[in-house]
């Protein structure tokens, strides 16, 4: 088998797939990329048995065939080569691979491509079509809020809730929560939890693409197809917590404030907060918001005052400043609302301006219990 | 920069602190032998007045023996709240005036005055600070001053009661040499006895012994003792910081295997510590349970947890740790709980696990406790246990 490919084009595709590769694999074949050539088209695959990703590119080839090529060696040599055509000659019997560049030849041994795990065939799939930029935005707005607790694997992923005419992505680590909704796309009703790894791969490969993504899903797998890429993953098994039940409905106290002013103020004040708990206090009354933090161990203290619009009783509420910063950073409106009811109840953050009418974002952060 | 030998360290120690505080409240106790501690037979003397010391009573002595030695002594129960109240006032005064200080116990401080001699001399300065503390609190306090912590501490001991003493630079060895060996910190009854059997009575003899000899006798500690005896101590004054753990333990009236009682005591102790953490806005991430069998075998188990100050989480953990620990069917003398790795902060409420009702319940209970007293609201399992608010041995809450 023999084919010719441009070094940088190949590298670009392989780098996109490299996020799938684990640093240590139970099956040695998983340390390889699968090269599959049919009709002058090269299909590249990587898999860790949970997540599989493939991408396609046109090449010059006279024969068809499959081979698995050691990923690390291949990536390293491609990174060291400037743009130029490379010739791959593969001995189908010995699986010896010879790569010829302008500079010389490199030899390595591949694996039998038939040993590479096959992507499972999905049956009885439901599907939905979405703009790539909408999906990219939905993932970026929720991804950061996922949890890392091994004891609660379901929170380690993003919850997709699909209905006929709307779609929701939800993420929470039980201290903060993001609910991202869109009412301009929908599909056959279903809900599933997508692990972090494939979502992170999606974030990387969606980039600034302007096209459509097709999401196909069954009860245990999901498949994302866009451009020349296919990504398939196993879903997280388990029941996602009833997030709707914990989002308080009645929040009579409402604060309206410039998002960046608040974010920057919290960033400055939290420098003086305790280094473990990052606790900051928000005290509102009239049209003023006082932000303060202290670290008794070092006698550090900070206070700032911001003007805002506030309707509600005077109140003091404390948060882990890290959570609030993350939420505010991941919003992009100029102003935000913070809706509250009591110092021991969730604070709900929403954007004031909304450039995209189809979008609905709700962020929630739980306070810390104050000694009243 | 100052070298280690040019330092000026002051050691301040309140005289019979617990007794003095009790006397502030009740002048009847003045000029009479006073014992502070639990009057029960298993209690120990936490502190005693100089009048009582004449009878041979000393702190940490069993109360039963102390009563026999000095039958006319007035026995006062300790009041930790008062002690920490006064201790905090004194800490505040020292904090306002001193560049660097270390609080080693409720009534003991080390002050690093290096460089302060540019004013009117350190001795004058320390005397003024001592006068200020006495004027503002009415409590007698003594201090010793020298170039390091050990010599200053010994000097304070010599200055007591209600006095002051400076050991001038270069005279440390002579000052220590004239004293009895048990005046050196670290030399307790056992070491003192051992040294006496070797004919070492005065520190001077200890100073003249080769260090290797003491090392052979007492190991690494011997070297430290020898250095202290020679007035060598390079340990720095470590600035006072918030305490990083809280703990409590209870020695039973009589040793027990009553699992139900042990569990309720443990739950009561955990509940109480949890309240204290919430009161001070602290969180723990490490819980330790300790048991001591009747033969004094002591075992502990600890576990790292996510930061919390909630009863329901910590009680579950302490009971689980206790069950892991209590494996031998033997009488238990003592149980204890400790929360360490404390940090400043309120409990981060969990979106799914904590209900609004529960958080409100904690806040309501804590408000009642603050208003009407710590023991007014508690879990039913812990109700009916004997109330103890003071552990006479270490002067800490129990």
């Amino acid at each position: 088998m023999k084919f010719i490919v441009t070094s940088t084009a190949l590298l670009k595709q392989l780098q996109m797939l490299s996020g799938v590769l684990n640093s240590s694999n139970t099956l040695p074949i998983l340390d390889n990329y699968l090269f599959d050539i049919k009709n002058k088209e090269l299909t590249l695959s990587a898999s860790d048995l949970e997540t599989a990703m493939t991408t396609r590119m046109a090449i010059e080839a006279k024969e068809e065939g499959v081979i698995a090529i050691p990923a690390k060696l291949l990536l390293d040599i491609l990174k060291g080569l400037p743009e130029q055509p490379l010739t791959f000659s593969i001995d189908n019997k010995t699986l010896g691979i010879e790569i010829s560049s302008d500079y010389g030849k490199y030899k390595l041994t591949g694996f039998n491509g038939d040993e590479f795990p096959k992507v499972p065939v999905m049956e009885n799939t439901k599907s939905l079509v979405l703009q790539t930029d909408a999906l990219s935005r939905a993932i970026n707005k929720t991804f950061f809020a996922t949890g890392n607790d091994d004891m609660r694997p379901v929170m380690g992923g993003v919850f997709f809730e699909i209905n006929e005419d709307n779609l929701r992505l939800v993420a929470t680590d039980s201290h903060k929560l993001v609910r991202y909704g869109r009412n301009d796309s929908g599909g056959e009703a279903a809900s599933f939890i997508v692990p972090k790894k494939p979502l992170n791969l999606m974030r990387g490969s969606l980039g600034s693409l302007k096209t459509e993504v097709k999401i196909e899903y069954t009860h245990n797998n999901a498949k994302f197809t866009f451009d020349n890429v296919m990504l398939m993953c196993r879903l997280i098994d388990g029941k996602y917590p009833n997030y709707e039940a914990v989002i308080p409905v009645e929040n009579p106290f409402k604060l309206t404030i410039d998002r960046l002013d608040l974010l920057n103020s919290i960033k400055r004040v939290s420098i003086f907060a305790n280094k473990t708990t990052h606790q900051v206090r928000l005290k509102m009354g009239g049209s003023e918001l006082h932000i303060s933090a202290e670290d008794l161990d070092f006698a550090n203290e900070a206070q700032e005052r911001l003007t805002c619009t506030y309707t509600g009783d005077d109140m003091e509420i404390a948060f882990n400043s890290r959570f609030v910063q993350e939420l505010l950073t991941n919003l992009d409106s100029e102003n935000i609302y913070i809706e509250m009811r009591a110092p021991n109840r969730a604070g709900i953050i929403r954007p004031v301006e909304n450039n995209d009418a189809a979008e609905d974002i709700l962020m929630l952060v739980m306070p810390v219990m104050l000694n009243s | 920069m100052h070298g280690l030998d040019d330092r000026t360290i002051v050691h301040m120690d309140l005289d019979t602190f617990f007794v003095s505080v009790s006397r502030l409240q009740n002048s009847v106790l003045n000029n009479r032998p006073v014992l502070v501690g639990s009057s029960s037979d298993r209690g120990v003397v936490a502190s005693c007045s100089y009048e009582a010391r004449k009878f041979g009573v000393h702190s940490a002595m069993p109360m039963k023996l102390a009563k026999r030695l000095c039958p006319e002594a007035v026995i006062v129960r300790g009041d930790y709240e008062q002690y920490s109240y006064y201790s905090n006032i004194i800490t505040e005064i020292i904090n306002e005036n001193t560049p660097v200080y270390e609080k080693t116990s409720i009534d003991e401080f080390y002050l690093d005055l290096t460089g302060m001699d540019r004013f009117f001399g350190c001795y004058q300065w320390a005397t003024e600070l001592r006068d200020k503390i006495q004027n503002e609190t009415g409590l007698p306090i003594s201090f010793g001053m020298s170039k390091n912590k050990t010599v200053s501490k010994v000097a304070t001991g010599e200055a007591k009661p209600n006095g002051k003493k400076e050991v001038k630079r270069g005279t440390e060895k002579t000052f220590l040499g004239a004293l009895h060996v048990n005046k050196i910190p670290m030399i307790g009854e056992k070491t003192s006895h051992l040294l006496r059997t070797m004919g070492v009575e005065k520190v001077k003899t200890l100073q003249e012994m080769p260090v290797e000899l003491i090392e052979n006798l007492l190991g690494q500690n011997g070297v430290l003792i020898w250095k202290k005896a020679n007035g060598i101590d390079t340990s720095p004054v470590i600035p006072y910081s918030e305490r990083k753990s809280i703990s409590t333990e209870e020695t039973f009236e009589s040793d027990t295997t009553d699992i139900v009682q042990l569990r309720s005591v443990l739950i009561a102790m955990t509940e109480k510590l949890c309240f204290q953490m919430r009161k001070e806005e602290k969180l723990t991430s490490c819980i330790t349970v300790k048991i001591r069998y009747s033969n004094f075998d002591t075992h502990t188990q600890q576990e790292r947890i996510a930061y919390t100050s909630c009863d329901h989480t910590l009680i579950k953990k302490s009971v689980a740790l206790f069950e892991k620990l209590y494996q031998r069917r033997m009488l238990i003398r003592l149980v204890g709980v400790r929360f360490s790795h404390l940090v400043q902060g309120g409990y981060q409420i969990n979106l799914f696990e904590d209900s609004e009702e529960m958080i409100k319940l904690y806040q309501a209970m804590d408000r009642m406790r603050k208003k009407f007293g710590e023991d007014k609201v508690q879990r039913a399992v812990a109700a009916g246990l004997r109330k103890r608010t003071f552990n006479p041995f270490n002067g800490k809450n129990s």
Side-chain angles (χ1 to χ4, degrees):
Chain A
M1 185 167 71
K2 196 171 180 177
F3 61 89
I4 300 167
V5 64
T6 315
S7 61
T8 45
L10 180 63
L11 178 62
K12 196 179 156 216
Q13 301 298 324
L14 293 180
Q15 274 178 327
M16 189 163 73
L17 300 184
S18 66
V20 178
L21 303 166
N22 282 338
S23 51
S24 65
N25 281 310
T26 43
L27 287 177
I29 188 87
L30 297 178
D31 296 329
N32 296 268
Y33 288 119
L34 181 70
F35 281 63
D36 188 346
I37 300 161
K38 263 188 201 110
N39 304 328
K40 297 204 169 192
E41 189 179 65
L42 170 63
T43 306
L44 298 160
S45 312
S47 167
D48 71 349
L49 298 179
E50 301 266 319
T51 311
M53 195 171 178
T54 68
T55 145
R56 296 186 313 267
M57 63 191 295
I59 53 159
E60 276 179 49
K62 294 204 175 74
E63 301 149 83
E64 301 191 340
V66 284
I67 182 143
I69 304 179
K72 184 156 187 324
L73 273 177
L74 188 58
L75 275 177
D76 286 348
I77 180 64
L78 287 174
K79 278 181 209 160
L81 289 170
E83 183 163 350
Q84 61 186 280
L86 296 176
T87 311
F88 284 69
S89 317
I90 295 144
D91 182 332
N92 289 338
K93 279 200 188 110
T94 62
L95 299 173
I97 304 160
E98 190 181 281
I99 307 169
S100 317
S101 76
D102 291 351
Y103 305 104
K105 287 179 179 172
Y106 320 101
K107 281 187 183 172
L108 65 163
T109 310
F111 288 81
N112 185 347
D114 296 329
E115 285 172 23
F116 202 85
K118 300 275 178 300
V119 173
V121 179
M122 288 166 62
E123 283 170 3
N124 301 326
T125 57
K126 300 174 180 177
S127 69
L128 132 91
V129 174
L130 192 65
Q131 291 300 313
T132 41
D133 51 352
L135 179 63
S136 170
R137 196 170 152 80
I139 294 174
N140 280 321
K141 291 268 173 275
T142 47
F143 188 83
F144 74 94
T146 53
N148 284 316
D149 186 353
D150 293 337
M151 303 296 286
R152 301 169 136 273
V154 291
M155 290 190 190
V158 172
F159 184 59
F160 281 62
E161 201 175 39
I162 298 164
N163 285 311
E164 282 300 330
D165 50 4
N166 64 57
L167 160 77
R168 257 184 192 174
L169 270 69
V170 180
T172 179
D173 64 355
S174 80
H175 298 314
K176 56 183 182 287
L177 180 144
V178 179
R179 188 186 74 191
Y180 181 94
R182 292 199 72 85
N183 60 16
D184 60 351
S185 48
E188 287 171 83
S191 61
F192 49 85
I193 308 162
V194 183
K196 261 188 260 204
K197 185 169 173 177
L199 290 174
N200 208 12
L201 287 163
M202 292 283 290
R203 288 209 303 180
S205 46
L206 282 172
S208 51
L209 277 179
K210 283 265 181 222
T211 169
E212 282 184 338
V213 194
K214 186 177 180 197
I215 310 177
E216 292 162 273
Y217 42 95
T218 66
H219 62 285
N220 51 14
N221 286 302
K223 188 160 120 184
F224 300 83
T225 320
F226 55 94
D227 204 21
N228 57 351
V229 181
M230 189 282 294
L231 187 143
M232 185 164 166
C233 66
R234 188 176 293 169
L235 300 170
I236 296 179
D237 196 18
K239 196 174 176 301
Y240 204 74
N242 184 359
Y243 69 91
E244 275 300 339
V246 296
I247 301 176
V249 185
E250 271 179 54
N251 303 291
F253 306 162
K254 195 165 185 174
L255 177 85
T256 314
I257 195 162
D258 185 294
R259 181 179 63 91
L260 283 176
D261 283 355
L262 178 62
L263 175 60
N264 290 331
S265 177
I266 289 180
K267 270 187 190 165
R268 287 189 296 266
V269 169
S270 65
I271 295 170
F272 296 86
N274 181 286
K275 293 285 172 287
T276 313
T277 56
H278 309 289
Q279 184 174 316
V280 293
R281 285 167 189 258
L282 272 56
K283 199 171 168 184
M284 36 251 136
S287 60
E288 272 188 349
L289 169 66
H290 287 256
I291 304 169
S292 65
E294 55 178 7
D295 187 347
L296 295 179
D297 290 348
F298 299 96
N300 294 343
E301 219 183 284
Q303 281 187 30
E304 288 199 13
R305 209 164 56 181
L306 288 176
T307 48
C308 62
T309 314
Y310 179 65
T311 49
D313 298 347
D314 288 4
M315 185 170 101
E316 186 173 33
I317 189 165
F319 295 106
N320 181 327
S321 59
R322 288 287 170 92
F323 298 159
V324 183
Q325 283 182 48
E326 279 177 311
L327 297 181
L328 294 177
T329 311
N330 281 285
L331 283 168
D332 32 32
S333 67
E334 192 185 338
N335 294 290
I336 51 146
Y337 297 122
I338 304 182
E339 296 162 357
M340 290 158 290
R341 190 169 104 191
N344 51 22
R345 303 258 306 182
I348 294 188
I349 306 178
R350 293 173 189 272
V352 174
E353 304 86 9
N354 201 345
N355 298 329
D356 185 351
E359 186 182 79
D360 169 43
I361 303 180
L362 178 142
M363 297 189 170
L364 176 153
V365 56
M366 290 305 283
V368 301
M369 195 161 84
L370 282 181
N371 168 1
S372 50
Chain B
M1 275 304 287
H2 290 270
L4 278 175
D5 251 10
D6 322 319
R7 295 185 305 163
T8 307
I9 310 288
V10 168
H11 175 252
M12 282 198 163
D13 190 11
L14 287 140
D15 302 337
T16 61
F17 179 54
F18 296 168
V19 175
S20 303
V21 172
S22 305
R23 280 177 172 163
L24 279 184
Q25 323 263 308
N26 185 358
S27 58
V28 175
L29 301 173
N30 288 346
N31 305 319
R32 291 179 63 178
V34 180
L35 304 176
V36 178
S38 159
S39 52
S40 79
D41 280 346
R42 281 166 76 98
V44 289
V45 177
S47 176
C48 56
S49 66
Y50 281 95
E51 290 81 0
R53 289 185 193 187
K54 285 183 198 143
F55 293 87
V57 180
H58 56 80
S59 36
M61 176 183 267
M63 196 50 100
K64 211 173 174 178
L65 181 62
K67 276 197 277 190
R68 212 160 48 214
L69 287 171
C70 181
E72 63 266 53
V74 187
I75 300 174
V76 190
R77 278 190 63 104
D79 181 351
Y80 185 72
E81 297 251 320
Q82 282 297 323
Y83 300 153
S84 54
Y85 171 75
Y86 281 101
S87 176
N88 287 342
I89 294 181
I90 295 159
T91 312
E92 199 49 44
I93 297 172
I94 293 178
N95 186 28
E96 272 172 26
N97 292 280
T98 318
V100 184
Y101 72 100
E102 174 178 349
K103 185 175 181 175
T104 46
S105 76
I106 192 160
D107 59 352
E108 234 184 303
F109 303 85
Y110 285 103
L111 285 53
D112 190 338
L113 299 187
T114 310
M116 299 289 279
D117 46 355
R118 306 206 175 186
F119 294 92
F120 311 102
C122 292
Y123 190 65
Q124 175 69 21
W125 192 92
T127 307
E128 278 168 18
L129 180 64
R130 171 172 168 254
D131 292 344
K132 189 170 179 184
I133 292 170
Q134 285 187 345
N135 289 338
E136 289 189 20
T137 62
L139 294 169
I141 185 163
S142 308
F143 77 82
M145 190 173 108
S146 77
K147 67 171 189 179
N148 63 39
K149 285 165 92 172
T150 303
V151 179
S152 296
K153 190 179 164 82
V154 176
T156 310
E158 292 306 294
K160 281 186 169 217
N162 206 2
K164 50 186 179 174
K165 184 164 185 70
E166 180 186 8
V167 178
K168 289 239 157 63
R169 226 166 275 281
T171 64
E172 291 86 5
K173 254 180 113 161
T174 2
F175 162 70
L176 293 174
L179 300 172
H180 193 271
V181 282
N182 62 14
K183 297 274 183 184
I184 303 285
M186 267 184 85
I187 300 192
E189 222 167 289
K190 264 191 182 158
T191 321
S192 157
H193 187 78
L194 183 70
L195 288 170
R196 218 170 316 134
T197 55
M198 295 171 57
V200 179
E201 195 141 344
K202 288 279 185 292
V203 179
K204 193 168 182 351
T205 332
L206 200 57
Q207 289 171 349
E208 285 162 357
M209 279 164 79
V211 62
E212 294 80 12
L213 187 66
I214 305 208
E215 189 175 1
N216 279 340
L217 195 67
L218 300 167
Q220 209 50 47
N221 273 343
V223 180
L224 258 168
I225 289 174
W226 184 85
K227 279 190 177 168
K228 287 190 178 213
N230 279 288
I232 303 167
D233 177 9
T234 54
S235 60
V237 172
I238 298 155
Y240 168 65
S241 68
E242 285 280 308
R243 55 186 172 151
K244 295 280 190 253
S245 78
I246 54 173
S247 64
T248 174
E249 50 189 54
E250 173 150 349
T251 310
F252 297 107
E253 202 67 40
S254 54
D255 299 347
T256 180
T257 51
D258 182 348
I259 284 290
V260 179
Q261 190 205 353
L262 285 164
R263 271 177 63 114
S264 359
V265 168
L266 199 69
I267 291 171
M269 292 194 301
T270 312
E271 195 180 2
K272 197 158 199 172
L273 286 181
C274 285
F275 167 66
Q276 275 180 12
M277 281 202 298
R278 288 196 300 272
K279 196 168 76 176
E280 293 179 26
E281 283 202 347
K282 288 203 185 315
L283 300 166
T284 178
S285 69
C286 183
I287 172 169
T288 312
V289 173
K290 169 161 115 181
I291 61 172
R292 180 170 291 152
Y293 291 104
S294 54
N295 64 354
F296 279 84
D297 266 4
T298 309
H299 300 268
T300 59
Q301 275 269 345
Q302 65 176 42
E303 192 180 334
R304 289 303 297 262
I305 46 170
Y307 283 106
T308 182
S309 59
C310 278
D311 299 9
H312 65 278
T313 322
L314 288 163
I315 285 178
K316 235 185 267 166
K317 289 279 178 214
S318 67
V319 170
L321 285 175
F322 173 75
E323 273 159 12
K324 247 203 239 165
L325 262 180
Y326 185 49
Q327 295 296 347
R328 293 153 67 183
R329 296 281 140 230
M330 222 163 94
L331 285 166
I332 287 187
R333 183 185 163 82
L334 169 150
V335 290
V337 186
R338 167 190 295 275
F339 296 151
S340 48
H341 298 83
L342 298 188
V343 296
Q344 190 70 35
Y347 170 67
Q348 170 68 55
I349 304 173
N350 188 299
L351 190 51
F352 301 101
E353 282 162 12
D354 302 326
S355 65
E356 191 188 353
E357 289 73 27
M358 204 180 59
I359 298 295
K360 276 188 172 161
L361 177 66
Y362 277 121
Q363 290 179 324
M365 288 202 304
D366 289 353
R367 269 199 297 275
M368 282 164 81
R369 285 176 179 142
K370 267 180 239 167
K371 198 159 177 186
F372 302 109
E374 247 179 76
D375 52 353
K376 293 297 184 282
V377 197
Q378 59 190 153
R379 278 178 165 64
V381 64
L385 288 173
R386 197 168 50 90
K387 305 285 182 303
R388 281 175 37 135
T389 49
F390 174 64
N391 179 340
F393 198 75
N394 54 13
K396 283 187 183 141
N397 267 11
S398 71

